[in-house]
Amino acid sequence: GGIFIASFANAAESAIDNILSQGELKVCFEAGYIPFEMKTKDGRFIGFDIDIAKHMARSMDVKFTPVNTAWDGIIPALQTGKCDIIIGGMAITPQRNLKVMFADTYLEIGQTVLVSPKVASKIDNARALNDAKYTIASQIGTTGAQAAKKFFPKAKLDLYETSADAVLQVANGKADAFVYDLPYNALYAAQHKDTVVHFSESFTYEPLGWAIRQNDPNFLNFLNNYLVQIKKEGTYDRIYHKWFES
Ligand code: ARG
């Protein structure tokens, strides 16, 4: 009986054990989500999430290992152990929360739209996009795609593997609008003043959170306390300022 009980107690291993024994924190994200995670021309990963992930790894005294993963398969990648955590601007949604655990919200955002200058000359807010004459682009598996379906059910929806491909359709003239996260859209609009117009009032509420595998209270406890610490001591503000206010 004693042997059975001992092995049963061992079954619930924390990701922490793995991280410490391997000496690395494997972080899933999908590069191409400005300014959270981007890939530089020379192949490095940079951004708000990347800086937080690096700092998090340092606080555990392990090395940071980036795991750049297609957005569509990012939760399966976590579940099958390809990474220990998703730090990828992921919104905490009920559907996702049935599959993974989320640490407390690290940033609150919402959905907005980018439209072509031609469309902007006819309408002045996102609501008017709910019309069969409009085509909307977004990224597969994102809350942007979800919001487009929910708020603009009459419009045609075209989904793309990456946000870069989706947003390009507005400049190409193949889509009238692009639905995505506010920080991304604000930055994209600032960099592409001639091809898109930003309707910057967000029409959803989305808390972003770090995702881990289920049944891991040890890791969850670590993450929530870590988040409080970096918020109170100024680390979070420093990193935030670097990517969102400069
Ligand atoms: N916040 C959106 C979502 O949760 C989009 C996130 C996309 N993130 C990325 N790293 N590509 O669905």
Side-chain angles (χ1 to χ4, degrees), residues 53-164:
K54 283 181 175 169
H55 183 272
M56 186 187 289
R58 259 200 314 279
S59 77
M60 301 174 99
D61 213 11
V62 298
K63 106 178 201 293
F64 161 70
T65 302
V67 184
N68 190 17
T69 309
W71 185 254
D72 210 15
I74 205 160
I75 287 182
L78 173 70
Q79 287 171 323
T80 56
K82 295 202 173 63
C83 54
D84 305 300
I85 186 169
I86 299 170
I87 304 183
M90 181 174 273
I92 302 172
T93 67
Q95 299 94 315
R96 288 171 180 162
N97 216 165
L98 293 173
K99 299 186 199 145
V100 298
M101 293 181 105
F102 285 101
D104 293 344
T105 303
Y106 72 103
L107 191 67
E108 293 174 326
I109 61 134
Q111 295 298 309
T112 64
V113 298
L114 295 176
V115 296
S116 66
K118 202 176 118 211
V119 171
S121 70
K122 287 179 232 148
I123 62 173
D124 63 0
N125 68 81
R127 236 162 306 141
L129 290 168
N130 188 26
D131 191 309
K133 70 171 179 265
Y134 292 125
T135 297
I136 295 175
S138 191
Q139 184 185 13
I140 299 173
T142 62
T143 48
Q146 233 176 49
K149 272 184 218 137
K150 181 173 168 190
F151 290 88
F152 315 116
K154 292 182 184 156
K156 178 170 182 289
L157 180 59
D158 284 345
L159 298 177
Y160 296 82
E161 191 78 46
T162 66
S163 54

Side-chain angles (χ1 to χ4, degrees), residues 7-245:
S7 61
F8 193 76
N10 274 336
E13 249 195 40
S14 171
I16 289 180
D17 305 327
N18 218 20
I19 293 162
L20 296 182
S21 68
Q22 303 292 307
E24 62 173 350
L25 176 67
K26 297 196 292 279
V27 180
C28 272
F29 56 84
E30 188 237 0
Y33 176 62
I34 51 176
F36 294 77
E37 36 258 353
M38 295 88 76
K39 194 174 181 174
T40 62
K41 288 205 177 74
D42 56 337
R44 287 172 307 115
F45 296 108
I46 58 166
F48 178 67
D49 281 339
I50 304 295
D51 278 354
I52 289 181
K54 283 181 175 169
H55 183 272
M56 186 187 289
R58 259 200 314 279
S59 77
M60 301 174 99
D61 213 11
V62 298
K63 106 178 201 293
F64 161 70
T65 302
V67 184
N68 190 17
T69 309
W71 185 254
D72 210 15
I74 205 160
I75 287 182
L78 173 70
Q79 287 171 323
T80 56
K82 295 202 173 63
C83 54
D84 305 300
I85 186 169
I86 299 170
I87 304 183
M90 181 174 273
I92 302 172
T93 67
Q95 299 94 315
R96 288 171 180 162
N97 216 165
L98 293 173
K99 299 186 199 145
V100 298
M101 293 181 105
F102 285 101
D104 293 344
T105 303
Y106 72 103
L107 191 67
E108 293 174 326
I109 61 134
Q111 295 298 309
T112 64
V113 298
L114 295 176
V115 296
S116 66
K118 202 176 118 211
V119 171
S121 70
K122 287 179 232 148
I123 62 173
D124 63 0
N125 68 81
R127 236 162 306 141
L129 290 168
N130 188 26
D131 191 309
K133 70 171 179 265
Y134 292 125
T135 297
I136 295 175
S138 191
Q139 184 185 13
I140 299 173
T142 62
T143 48
Q146 233 176 49
K149 272 184 218 137
K150 181 173 168 190
F151 290 88
F152 315 116
K154 292 182 184 156
K156 178 170 182 289
L157 180 59
D158 284 345
L159 298 177
Y160 296 82
E161 191 78 46
T162 66
S163 54
D165 275 346
V167 73
L168 206 58
Q169 306 312 311
V170 176
N172 280 348
K174 290 199 186 113
D176 301 292
F178 169 70
V179 176
Y180 213 56
D181 301 11
L182 185 150
Y184 183 103
N185 284 349
L187 203 57
Y188 189 91
Q191 294 167 353
H192 300 83
K193 288 198 174 71
D194 301 332
T195 53
V196 299
V197 175
H198 191 200
F199 290 162
S200 59
E201 202 187 314
S202 57
F203 50 91
T204 62
Y205 165 73
E206 296 185 21
L208 306 183
W210 307 323
I212 60 170
R213 285 182 290 278
Q214 290 179 318
N215 302 311
D216 197 345
N218 295 3
F219 197 18
L220 192 68
N221 180 248
F222 172 88
L223 292 172
N224 285 336
N225 287 322
Y226 168 78
L227 180 58
V228 171
Q229 183 67 32
I230 62 170
K231 282 215 163 171
K232 299 282 181 185
E233 82 188 2
T235 301
Y236 180 96
D237 286 348
R238 177 177 52 78
I239 298 175
Y240 182 91
H241 182 82
K242 174 175 165 192
W243 294 103
F244 291 96
E245 283 162 7

